[in-house]
Amino acid sequence: MNNQLHGPGSPKPFLAYPRGEFDLESGNSWKVRTSKNLQSEPFKMLKSIGNRIYYFYKLHPVAICLISLSFGVSILIVLSAYESRFRMMGYRRIGDLSVGSGSYPFANLCNLVMVAGHSVYTSSSCGKIDREDSWFLEPYQKQPGQAATFLSHIKEGVEIAAKDEGALLLFSGGETRKDAGPQSKAQSYWAVAESKGWFGKQDGVRSRALTEEHARDSFENLLFSVCRFRELTGAYPQNITVVSYDYKEERFVYVHRSAIGFPEGRFFLFGTPTSPTAKEAAKKGEASVRIQFQEDPYGCLDSLHLKKLKRDPFHRIIPYPNGCPELKGLFSYCGPVPYPSSLPWT
């Protein structure tokens, strides 16, 4: 009979109360006790280690202090190294600027030569580059000999870069004139230099002459070109040379340079004269603009800001500071006093 009840086909016994959790005599449930030895073992170990450290400290307090100090310094050094490495990797990833494996197309160049553009070349024949009707001129620019001043800037920029094998030549200027069409000042200057053969050999200045095509005023000529330099080289320029009119020297050297905090001893301006017939009017107009920039160094308020909006007829999206992440704060800053935070060159 027992065999039938507990045979292969018989149902399994049912336990009404789990073993070890119910007392049949008292009718009370109780929990399985956990071994005290298993619970207290880790605490005993920690207490033992703590006691050893305490007794060692009593015997050798100076040694413990030196060991703790060394450990803390080591941790700080490791964290600092990882932070620097992460930051540099992050800079190289922004905008997917690198070519190949973490390299830049002009990483060997260290100086910036920037030619500020003043007009757009509109003629279909590059043989007429010295004529005023070949350029799109504002009313105040329509003076005899004005076109020749543009050519002077282009040629001087090329010659300065030719004397410095470590220089990157940038023609700067955006598509600021609606009637001139979607053509930038920078591209006009580069095309003129190319058509006249001023770049020289293929592996000469031409190979390191590029454009910055978003600037809408002189401050942006400087700031945007510095950012463009960072995009192309992976670093910031050691020296900056600006090619423009000589009457703009004070504006560039003292107002714009100060606004970006670039060292005066590493900043140079090569100025050329305007046409004789436009000299007086140019000086008068420059004095007015310089005062505006002295009151609004970053061109972000009132008349200077409105002027930039008018000089963007095609609503171009400015890519900066994507290529120069270290200058993000400077690009967003607006105030009457110089940018207060540190910069890569300060």
Side-chain angles (χ1 to χ4, degrees):
M1 186 172 182
N2 291 336
N3 292 338
Q4 291 179 353
L5 290 175
H6 300 285
S10 62
K12 294 182 180 180
F14 172 74
L15 298 178
Y17 305 101
R19 291 181 180 180
E21 295 187 3
F22 191 82
D23 190 338
L24 293 175
E25 294 182 1
S26 64
N28 297 323
S29 62
W30 50 278
K31 296 183 179 179
V32 178
R33 295 181 180 179
T34 306
S35 173
K36 292 183 178 180
N37 292 334
L38 292 176
Q39 286 185 342
S40 60
E41 191 66 30
F43 296 101
K44 288 182 179 179
M45 187 181 298
L46 290 175
K47 186 176 180 180
S48 176
I49 294 173
N51 289 335
R52 291 181 183 181
I53 294 174
Y54 175 75
Y55 288 126
F56 187 82
Y57 173 75
K58 284 291 186 180
L59 295 173
H60 309 284
V62 176
I64 288 292
C65 291
L66 291 176
I67 292 173
S68 300
L69 181 62
S70 301
F71 181 75
V73 171
S74 300
I75 292 295
L76 289 176
I77 292 174
V78 171
L79 291 176
S80 177
Y82 271 99
E83 181 186 6
S84 299
R85 183 179 179 184
F86 177 78
R87 185 178 299 172
M88 290 306 298
M89 290 175 65
Y91 289 160
R92 291 181 182 275
R93 286 197 301 267
I94 291 178
D96 195 23
L97 298 174
S98 59
V99 177
S101 178
S103 62
Y104 289 80
F106 298 92
N108 60 317
L109 303 181
C110 58
N111 298 320
L112 168 63
V113 177
M114 185 273 285
V115 178
H118 292 90
S119 187
V120 175
Y121 184 76
T122 56
S123 176
S124 59
S125 173
C126 287
K128 301 177 181 179
I129 60 175
D130 58 343
R131 291 176 47 174
E132 277 65 47
D133 58 3
S134 295
W135 296 81
F136 184 86
L137 303 178
E138 294 293 332
Y140 68 88
Q141 292 179 313
K142 294 179 180 179
Q143 301 288 340
Q146 191 71 13
T149 66
F150 306 150
L151 303 184
S152 178
H153 292 159
I154 299 170
K155 194 170 185 180
E156 291 296 343
V158 173
E159 291 179 354
I160 293 172
K163 296 175 184 177
D164 181 4
E165 294 183 355
L168 175 69
L169 174 61
L170 287 179
F171 296 110
S172 175
E175 301 170 358
T176 61
R177 305 290 188 258
K178 184 177 181 179
D179 292 340
Q183 304 179 74
S184 70
K185 296 173 181 176
Q187 277 292 344
S188 294
Y189 279 32
W190 193 95
V192 168
E194 173 81 344
S195 68
K196 299 298 290 184
W198 290 341
F199 287 136
K201 297 180 180 179
Q202 187 73 14
D203 58 348
V205 178
R206 188 182 187 278
S207 63
R208 47 190 173 90
L210 290 94
T211 60
E212 183 294 301
E213 302 183 52
H214 296 277
R216 297 163 295 181
D217 60 24
S218 57
F219 176 65
E220 289 187 346
N221 284 139
L222 177 59
L223 180 60
F224 289 5
S225 293
V226 170
C227 189
R228 182 78 172 118
F229 187 95
R230 166 69 169 84
E231 284 183 335
L232 295 165
T233 68
Y236 291 97
Q238 294 181 9
N239 300 288
I240 297 176
T241 300
V242 174
V243 180
S244 186
Y245 289 111
D246 53 7
Y247 63 81
K248 291 188 176 183
E249 180 175 4
E250 186 174 346
R251 189 203 303 192
F252 272 109
V253 176
Y254 297 105
V255 183
H256 295 337
R257 180 198 59 78
S258 296
I260 68 170
F262 199 83
E264 185 175 357
R266 292 157 49 192
F267 190 92
F268 311 95
L269 183 132
F270 188 92
T272 64
T274 186
S275 62
T277 55
K279 189 174 182 179
E280 293 303 320
K283 286 185 176 181
K284 184 177 180 180
E286 171 60 19
S288 175
V289 175
R290 186 171 62 249
I291 291 174
Q292 293 179 59
F293 270 113
Q294 288 172 341
E295 297 174 350
D296 179 19
Y298 301 91
C300 53
L301 302 170
D302 304 329
S303 60
L304 291 178
H305 178 65
L306 292 175
K307 185 185 293 185
K308 285 194 290 190
L309 294 179
K310 291 179 180 179
R311 289 180 176 179
D312 185 22
F314 303 109
H315 289 199
R316 294 297 302 270
I317 297 176
I318 296 175
Y320 317 116
N322 287 342
C324 51
E326 302 88 341
L327 303 185
K328 185 176 181 180
L330 179 61
F331 269 82
S332 61
Y333 179 72
C334 181
V337 297
Y339 179 65
S341 301
S342 62
L343 291 165
W345 42 84
T346 58

